[in-house]
Amino acid sequence: MNILITGAARGLGYELVRQFADAGHRVYATTRNPETADKLKQVTDASGGKATLHRMDVGDGESVKACAREIGNAPIDILINNAGVWGGLDTQTFQNMDYENWAHEFNIMAMGPFRVVQAFLPNVLASQRKIIATMTSQTAAAAYDHVIGYSYASAKAGLNRLMTGLANELKDEGVTVTLIHPGWIRTEMAGPVADMDPPDAAADVMKVITALTPADNGKWLKWTGDEHPW
Ligand SMILES: NC(=O)c1ccc[n+]([C@@H]2O[C@H](COP(=O)([O-])OP(=O)(O)OC[C@H]3O[C@@H](n4cnc5c(N)ncnc54)[C@H](OP(=O)(O)O)[C@@H]3O)[C@@H](O)[C@H]2O)c1
């Protein structure tokens, strides 16, 4: 299968590239800065051309379009919106909100995946599987009753609505649009206090994504494959 992953320099995105490439898939690994993505470059260099490195900043429409031009008309079976940002809890509380960070998080995590789907939909439609899988967060659920970072949680909640809208709009074209909460993972974003190591979380997410069928269109799943409450 052909797979495109955003935000692939580190964390979950890096692990997804590594594991999909190891499994023999054709992987388009995208990152803001290919020049500094040393770890990722080792994976693409060792893949014998099965995984390639591409520049894409999901916060910048021109960058997304340039990446789509570079990839051309290659079919993309699985488009994975993984790129994300977390400005830290201190600056997104009710008492102390950094509105610039809020706009940035919304741009990267809600508008970003929308831009990526706009730019790569022809590639998805040209593929066999036609899957769009997007990493969201449990904190976006109304059912999540712990402390939340308001900007991050609302950006992911906005993302959820954008993807459920696209699930409805694209279903007649055979596209499967699914949201995934990947678990609480010990990446740079969540830090060492989280639950899971990135290789384990990526293996679980990969299993869920590769098993998606049109029956999963519009669903929100956990890394376990179970449905996530809204
Ligand atoms: N970790 C968790 O516990 C957890 C829980 C729920 C959901 N998630 C979601 O899972 C996804 C992966 O998170 P992670 O934990 O792996 O985070 P991470 O370690 O912080 O990695 C985030 C990735 O996103 C990339 N990125 C940031 N801004 C970007 C932009 N403008 N354009 C393209 N790429 C950009 C980063 O690339 P650079 O190297 O260029 O900065 C980095 O590779 C995110 O969507 C996150 O919200 C994570």
Side-chain angles (χ1 to χ4, degrees), residues 115-126:
R115 284 187 189 100
V116 171
V117 175
Q118 273 189 322
F120 288 94
L121 184 62
N123 307 71
V124 171
L125 290 175

Side-chain angles (χ1 to χ4, degrees), residues 40 164 221:
L40 181 60
T164 52
L221 302 179

Side-chain angles (χ1 to χ4, degrees), residues 172-215:
D172 292 342
E173 296 184 74
V175 181
T176 300
V177 181
T178 306
L179 291 153
I180 315 258
H181 167 57
W184 197 30
I185 316 162
R186 286 187 277 271
T187 59
E188 195 168 313
M189 180 178 287
V193 291
D195 284 336
M196 285 192 286
D197 283 325
D200 298 332
D204 289 347
V205 167
M206 184 172 154
K207 199 168 150 197
V208 172
I209 290 176
T210 48
L212 291 173
T213 72

Side-chain angles (χ1 to χ4, degrees), residues 9 53-54 61 74-75 126 129 151 154:
L53 194 52
H54 305 269
R129 297 290 302 276
S151 49
S154 63

Side-chain angles (χ1 to χ4, degrees), residues 6-13 30-33 56-59 81-85 104 108-109 135-138 152 156 180-190 194:
T6 67
R10 61 169 196 262
L12 180 64
T30 74
T31 174
R32 277 185 295 185
N33 294 307
M56 189 193 328
D57 181 340
V58 304
N81 285 307
N82 167 76
V85 280
H104 178 61
I108 304 306
M109 294 188 288
M135 298 308 126
T136 185
S137 162
Q138 62 186 352
Y152 180 86
K156 291 294 199 187
I180 315 258
H181 167 57
W184 197 30
I185 316 162
R186 286 187 277 271
T187 59
E188 195 168 313
M189 180 178 287

Side-chain angles (χ1 to χ4, degrees), residues 147-169:
V147 172
I148 57 166
Y150 281 96
S151 49
Y152 180 86
S154 63
K156 291 294 199 187
L159 166 70
N160 289 0
R161 188 62 189 104
L162 291 166
M163 289 300 144
T164 52
L166 290 174
N168 196 37
E169 182 160 344

